[in-house]
Amino acid sequence: MSGAVTDGRAAPQDPAPEGRSAHTPRRRTVAVATAATAVLLPLSNGLIGAQSDEGPAFLHGVASGDPLPDGVLLWTRVTPSREAVPGSGKGAPVHVTWEVAEDEQFTTVVARGRAKTRAAADHTVRADVRGLRPDTTYWFRFSTGTVRSPHGRTRTAGAENAAVPNLRFGVVSCSHYESGYFAAYRHLAARTDLHAVLHLGDYIYECGTGEYASAGRIVRKVQPENEAVTLADYRGRHAHHKLDPDLQAMHAAHPVIAMWDDHEFANNAWSGGAANHTSKAGAPHGPAGRGEEEDWAGRVRAAKQAYFEWMPVRPSTEGTTYRRFRFGRLADLHVLDLRSFRDRQPPGFFGRRVRDDPGRTITGRAQLDWLKAGLSGSTARWRLVGTSVMITPLAFDTVPADTLRSLERLLGSSLTLDEWDGYTDDRRELLTHLRDNGIADTVFVAGDMHMAFANDVPLRAAGSSHRAPVATEFVVTSVTSPNLDDISLVPAVEASPRAQTAIRRSNPHVRWLDTDSHGYGVLDVDAERVQMDYFVLSDKTDPDATAEVARSYRTLSGTQRLERADAPVRT
């Protein structure tokens, strides 16, 4: 079938001899250093100004991800010397030691190991640590010589068959650097009640400076300033994001379960190209006058290599991000990759509905079969599906022309056809599978739209208000990326009510939406219900922005419908 990690586990490896200590007689430890082969030219993008005069240093923070019942993936990047700028190919090899402890003071170290990283891996370090206890909070850090990294906090998943009473995830999507500050990450970092943060994609944006900022307003400049095309570019873009203090704080506070969407590669990416890519072969299209770029396959390889170097994510054996996690008997989480295998988006405009086409796929055959089998075989109370783009169908029959023009600027001329709306046969097959097999309590969690939605998911859009939904869906807004009022330049108080009313009139299965806010979600799961609290920021251009709950929706077990919750979950 596929090479995905179907149970959330990476293949066990033999422990490094130096991974033993007096504190670890019954712990197995594994250290893995990332490998790469490219030798690159230095970047001249200002990043060197952020490097230390004397190495080594841990300038990009620490992170953890992909929690398992017995382990977690740890990450850092060490800067060995001033010239070892991310993506430069410079800098000597470095030996790095990592430690995992039961306490913040590291008095009880339960795992320790060593890794060697080189310029070929952009001096990133990944340690896949096993032998830990389920559902336990740990602290971790790295060191080289006498230099220590900041420490981080992480948490393992519940045991596979454990009666896990509760899960709580932070949920984020779409963090365009130049459009604002990452205050949403700061607020999530401050919480101590989260099991993990689910990042639904567009962690970085490939765009050159000024290309994506709403109304031409650049809140802060991204590095490198050119569009990311080469391996050095993508490494530099990831590195610049990880210099952000709020992003560092979130990674240091919680394990992250991440997937990619299009902007980790290029806008509206598909398996053979993207909307803003011009290849030497002459297709697919990009802005006039840009000149030739790398071939698409080469660009994708570069983007994926940088992603797995710089993110605490275990790739599947196929080098993708679709994988599955188990949280006791309470929930399975299926994380999808909807860019690597999809066909090109169909032509269309203004949300025009497209016909089912079995020749056009968003998942690819192997991934869709893997997902259907996982949903059918799940013995958990809840089946959660992390999908980078919204699965709920949308129609725009009654939406005013000026609102449509703003939506077109936001989502592109094809509007929702980059979502599952452009791949109706895959969606029909998946949702029919849920209905025909009596698979209840399935919740999709999505991003990408830069707007927040709470949806009942019908089998088909037509007549959906009179048909039983087959699932529910929570869509979170963007951390910073432009949404409707940013694009329309009309104040939210004027634009939002009219647009939202029109969209809901055409789509009665949309229970609630917010076209204008920025923020994050907190998804709370227990045996009785799944609830999403939608948090909005006071001002994405303010690094000290406050956050408050705008709305809360929940689905009760066995209902497959949403209802408004009386109050947000207690912290």
Side-chain angles (χ1 to χ4, degrees):
M1 201 169 69
S2 76
V5 183
T6 57
D7 62 353
R9 287 182 170 271
Q13 302 180 41
D14 293 330
E18 60 269 42
R20 299 292 187 188
S21 76
H23 301 285
T24 60
R26 59 188 181 86
R27 302 281 187 226
R28 186 171 66 146
T29 62
V30 182
V32 181
T34 318
T37 57
V39 178
L40 303 164
L41 296 175
L43 293 174
S44 57
N45 56 15
L47 278 180
I48 199 165
Q51 309 304 309
S52 61
D53 290 334
E54 298 179 3
F58 294 94
L59 302 175
H60 298 88
V62 299
S64 68
D66 284 10
L68 307 176
D70 69 337
V72 70
L73 185 69
L74 307 181
W75 176 94
T76 194
R77 199 263 181 178
V78 59
T79 301
S81 55
R82 179 176 172 81
E83 73 276 5
V85 179
S88 68
K90 293 186 176 181
V94 185
H95 288 277
V96 178
T97 299
W98 53 265
E99 295 177 300
V100 178
E102 293 180 345
D103 61 305
E104 189 174 0
Q105 291 72 37
F106 287 83
T107 57
T108 306
V109 175
V110 297
R112 181 183 286 117
R114 296 183 66 192
K116 183 178 182 180
T117 185
R118 303 173 174 83
D122 212 20
H123 289 104
T124 59
V125 180
R126 292 151 59 90
D128 199 350
V129 183
R130 302 300 178 92
L132 304 178
R133 294 194 305 273
D135 196 19
T136 302
T137 297
Y138 290 97
W139 298 84
F140 66 96
R141 67 187 179 189
F142 297 84
S143 61
T144 179
T146 60
V147 179
R148 281 181 176 164
S149 73
H151 57 246
R153 183 182 66 216
T154 191
R155 185 170 181 170
T156 53
E160 182 173 351
N161 292 311
V164 174
N166 174 263
L167 286 171
R168 193 169 293 174
F169 298 102
V171 187
V172 284
S173 175
C174 303
S175 47
H176 183 244
Y177 190 91
E178 294 194 330
S179 291
Y181 293 97
F182 294 161
Y185 294 155
R186 173 170 53 84
H187 287 286
L188 288 172
R191 299 183 67 125
T192 59
D193 59 337
L194 302 180
H195 291 77
V197 171
L198 180 59
H199 202 297
L200 296 165
D202 292 347
Y203 181 96
I204 64 166
Y205 278 68
E206 86 293 351
C207 318
T209 187
E211 289 182 3
Y212 202 73
S214 55
R217 182 184 180 188
I218 299 174
V219 177
R220 52 181 182 162
K221 275 197 172 183
V222 74
Q223 302 286 344
E225 294 187 14
N226 58 281
E227 179 180 343
V229 176
T230 67
L231 178 57
D233 293 338
Y234 286 109
R235 284 171 163 174
R237 189 62 56 86
H238 277 280
H240 192 238
H241 274 63
K242 281 197 168 64
L243 291 174
D244 181 272
D246 294 329
L247 180 57
Q248 284 196 13
M250 182 188 73
H251 275 300
H254 310 293
V256 171
I257 300 172
M259 68 185 72
W260 55 48
D261 194 28
D262 54 336
H263 288 288
E264 283 84 355
F265 307 97
N267 184 44
N268 284 2
W270 56 287
S271 60
N276 63 332
H277 178 80
T278 305
S279 71
K280 294 178 180 179
H285 26 273
R290 176 184 306 202
E292 293 180 342
E293 298 170 349
E294 296 293 328
D295 67 283
W296 178 245
R299 185 174 182 177
V300 169
R301 283 194 301 271
K304 287 186 176 181
Q305 179 176 329
Y307 186 88
F308 287 123
E309 288 172 344
W310 281 87
M311 295 292 291
V313 172
R314 292 186 189 90
S316 74
T317 55
E318 290 184 348
T320 77
T321 59
Y322 77 86
R323 58 212 193 278
R324 185 177 298 125
F325 298 89
R326 174 87 172 186
F327 296 90
R329 297 196 299 271
L330 183 59
D332 287 335
L333 171 62
H334 313 261
V335 179
L336 304 186
D337 174 0
L338 299 183
R339 295 295 166 180
S340 295
F341 312 105
R342 73 157 69 195
D343 293 317
R344 191 170 185 174
Q345 297 84 350
F349 57 92
F350 293 137
R352 178 179 65 87
R353 296 191 183 104
V354 298
R355 293 183 177 181
D356 290 354
D357 180 357
R360 184 172 58 246
T361 181
I362 189 172
T363 60
R365 185 73 257 164
Q367 184 177 194
L368 185 56
D369 288 343
W370 167 86
L371 177 58
K372 290 166 58 181
L375 295 170
S376 296
S378 175
T379 57
R381 171 62 63 91
W382 294 98
R383 282 145 290 279
L384 309 178
V385 182
T387 168
S388 57
V389 296
M390 189 165 75
I391 195 167
T392 300
L394 284 184
F396 296 89
D397 301 337
T398 64
V399 177
D402 58 342
T403 302
L404 279 175
R405 284 192 294 270
S406 295
L407 286 168
E408 183 180 3
R409 290 181 61 197
L410 174 63
L411 301 175
S413 61
S414 62
L415 285 185
T416 61
L417 300 187
D418 186 58
E419 315 292 314
W420 287 77
D421 267 347
Y423 302 85
T424 54
D425 193 71
D426 275 1
R427 180 172 63 194
R428 176 200 53 76
E429 181 177 340
L430 176 59
L431 298 183
T432 300
H433 178 75
L434 296 178
R435 184 197 63 185
D436 291 351
N437 290 278
I439 302 172
D441 296 338
T442 300
V443 179
F444 293 90
V445 187
D448 183 67
M449 294 285 281
H450 307 178
M451 297 179 281
F453 288 79
N455 302 321
D456 292 333
V457 182
L459 186 60
R460 295 184 184 275
S464 58
S465 61
H466 304 294
R467 299 187 182 187
V470 295
T472 52
E473 181 176 41
F474 300 111
V475 182
V476 294
T477 187
S478 63
V479 171
T480 56
S481 302
N483 49 24
L484 191 59
D485 65 329
D486 297 322
I487 294 294
S488 65
L489 302 182
V490 176
V493 70
E494 298 176 18
S496 180
R498 188 160 61 110
Q500 293 173 13
T501 298
I503 292 173
R504 288 202 61 202
R505 185 180 298 121
S506 296
N507 303 276
H509 51 283
V510 173
R511 305 300 301 276
W512 175 77
L513 76 155
D514 180 349
T515 60
D516 302 308
S517 300
H518 302 276
Y520 60 96
V522 172
L523 188 75
D524 190 77
V525 184
D526 64 25
E528 302 302 322
R529 58 96 182 100
V530 174
Q531 177 168 323
M532 177 71 86
D533 295 335
Y534 294 88
F535 285 79
V536 300
L537 299 175
S538 57
D539 182 357
K540 69 173 182 176
T541 66
D542 178 3
D544 298 317
T546 59
E548 62 180 8
V549 178
R551 195 67 67 95
S552 298
Y553 273 84
R554 67 185 183 183
T555 177
L556 302 180
S557 179
T559 67
Q560 298 175 176
R561 290 185 183 274
L562 290 181
E563 63 180 26
R564 185 171 179 179
D566 296 332
V569 297
R570 296 179 61 183
T571 59

